[in-house]
Amino acid sequence: HNGLDMAGDLSLVFDFLKAPGEGQVTSQEKFNLLDALPFFDDFLDAEIWEIVNASDWLSMRAGESVLEEGASDTAFYLIIDGSVAVRKNDIDIVELGKGDCFGEMGMLTGRPRSASICAAEDLTVAKLKETIVSRLSLNCQVRFQKQFLLALIGRLEHTTARVAAETP
């Protein structure tokens, strides 16, 4: 229909052309790892396969920056293994671990990142670009929206409890 659709299709095809090298995770292993995460409890197997085929998997060492505060990046990330520190103005806000997601607010709003994300330990994440997510099946997108809301509610509850504990 347009250039953006074509770019999305080409990026999906490119992922299929990549041959797994030594040390790379196979598609079946990726499926098994995602399926084991509570984030995907409500997803159908076919939808998890959509995620396997649409995501880029990245490995980072402890201390490496994943996202910088103020950066424009419309992708979101799922932590497959390891943990990250969320930092605002060089202050650690919260640590996220296996099964957590981050970057969804930037993806949904298109606004610059409001916090930095740094690998707290060796890290494996699945990265999904907004242009790819928008091309997933409608049911898969709805399930993502639900998980994003649950994640945001959990973070709001955590922040509220922390503020209440600090208030005299």
Side-chain angles (χ1 to χ4, degrees), residues 43-107:
F43 285 67
L44 302 175
D45 285 356
E47 294 164 343
I48 296 172
W49 277 111
E50 283 186 75
I51 308 315
V52 167
N53 293 322
S55 59
D56 292 321
W57 285 45
L58 309 171
S59 294
M60 297 172 191
R61 296 273 181 215
E64 280 188 67
S65 176
V66 182
L67 291 173
E68 290 294 326
E69 188 173 343
S72 294
D73 179 4
T74 57
F76 87 96
Y77 302 76
L78 290 160
I79 301 174
I80 306 303
D81 194 30
S83 63
V84 299
V86 179
R87 294 184 177 137
K88 177 76 174 167
N89 300 324
D90 292 325
I91 298 171
D92 285 355
I93 304 297
V94 69
E95 189 167 302
L96 302 175
K98 183 176 180 176
D100 289 327
C101 64
F102 60 91
E104 68 285 341
M105 290 191 301
M107 186 191 82

